[in-house]
Amino acid sequence: MTSTERPQVVLLHGVGLDHTMWQPLREHLSHQTVALDLPGHGGQPPLRTAQDLASLAADVLARLDTRAPVHLVGFSLGALIAQHLARFAPQRVRTLTAVNSVCRRTADEAAAVEQRLATAGTDFAQGIDRAIQRWFPAGETAVDQRIIEATRQTLAGNDVESYVHAYAVFARGDREIAGELSGIIQPALAITGELDPGSTPQMSRRLAESIPDCRLRIIPGARHMLPVENPVALAGELNKFFSDNEGNQA
């Protein structure tokens, strides 16, 4: 298989972000990549009604290249959408990668995210500050300050109503897909950061145990924003995973 015949890699970002979050990673990937904006994000129209995981996945599915199955890589909310697509549109997905994904939140984990959802629309600016601090703790992160500021600006540019609709899916979508994970037939990779407090290593272990053909990787020292915090490590795992599932390379 030549480089021009390799399957396309499709990247799905997290809630409140957009396709630009993937730029640090794309530079290190061995395949052609396409980064889509999720419904209600970036260049897509804002969401004006309540959504669920199925409705967001249907929107993304309509925008996927139909010529060949893709390596589908989702981050956070994008990982939940990717899982739904792998399960219900298997002919369109060659491999599934869930980056910093939640999975089967415990009662305490569900309560914590519901609390963030409850205040998302009423104290949006403070929510952004808290997210930035969770993702890039002052004095503890090596991420370039320009990337941190760009992330902050992307979050601040959200339409608040649309963001809340999307965040509700992030808060509850793991329950929507949980019973379907065993039906995912593609090779899968569950990968997260060792120090991610929200999409924890234990959640990725739950995911890897639930999907029949799923490898697990935990990146030491990384937090939630793995694609920008350690794009080299993530790209290394992705490139190997893709190669392992494409047969012999020319």
Side-chain angles (χ1 to χ4, degrees):
M1 183 181 293
T2 67
S3 60
T4 57
E5 294 171 331
R6 288 173 174 166
Q8 188 179 73
V9 176
V10 175
L11 305 166
L12 306 179
H13 62 79
V15 65
L17 302 170
D18 65 12
H19 70 278
T20 62
M21 71 156 285
W22 293 108
Q23 192 54 44
L25 177 72
R26 295 175 80 174
E27 299 173 4
H28 301 285
L29 291 178
S30 56
H31 290 54
Q32 176 189 2
T33 64
V34 173
L36 299 180
D37 285 331
L38 296 185
H41 294 75
Q44 295 299 303
L47 302 171
R48 290 293 177 252
T49 58
Q51 303 290 310
D52 58 18
L53 193 56
S55 67
L56 297 189
D59 181 288
V60 171
L61 180 63
R63 292 184 280 132
L64 285 183
D65 192 325
T66 60
R67 289 174 292 179
V70 302
H71 292 302
L72 189 58
V73 179
F75 166 77
S76 197
L77 172 59
L80 293 175
I81 293 171
Q83 291 161 39
H84 195 282
L85 290 169
R87 173 65 181 90
F88 293 106
Q91 73 282 4
R92 306 288 291 278
V93 180
R94 181 153 186 167
T95 67
L96 164 68
T97 300
V99 183
N100 298 85
S101 180
V102 297
C103 180
R104 293 193 171 105
R105 288 182 177 96
T106 65
D108 286 346
E109 290 165 346
V113 75
E114 286 288 344
Q115 179 60 38
R116 293 198 294 274
L117 174 61
T119 60
T122 57
D123 201 350
F124 191 64
Q126 186 178 68
I128 292 172
D129 289 340
R130 288 174 176 170
I132 292 295
Q133 179 57 29
R134 283 197 310 274
W135 298 347
F136 311 109
E140 300 178 32
T141 182
V143 176
D144 190 303
Q145 189 60 42
R146 292 170 294 183
I147 292 178
I148 297 174
E149 184 55 32
T151 304
R152 183 189 294 275
Q153 292 302 315
T154 299
L155 289 171
N158 276 276
D159 176 281
V160 176
E161 179 186 354
S162 185
Y163 175 86
V164 171
H165 286 313
Y167 200 91
V169 180
F170 170 66
R172 300 161 184 165
D174 60 315
R175 282 173 269 171
E176 189 176 341
I177 195 64
E180 301 292 341
L181 295 173
S182 63
I184 293 175
I185 60 175
Q186 299 88 343
L189 168 64
I191 184 167
T192 196
E194 175 192 18
L195 305 178
D196 190 337
S199 302
T200 63
Q202 184 55 43
M203 289 187 185
S204 283
R205 291 188 185 96
R206 292 173 202 156
L207 191 60
E209 290 167 358
S210 300
I211 297 174
D213 181 11
C214 187
R215 66 178 69 172
L216 172 69
R217 296 290 185 271
I218 307 298
I219 302 301
R223 294 180 172 81
H224 186 61
M225 290 290 283
L226 177 57
V228 301
E229 190 175 1
N230 197 339
V232 173
L234 178 56
E237 294 291 349
L238 289 173
N239 289 335
K240 183 177 189 307
F241 177 57
F242 300 154
S243 177
D244 288 349
N245 289 286
E246 289 174 5
N248 294 327
Q249 301 293 307

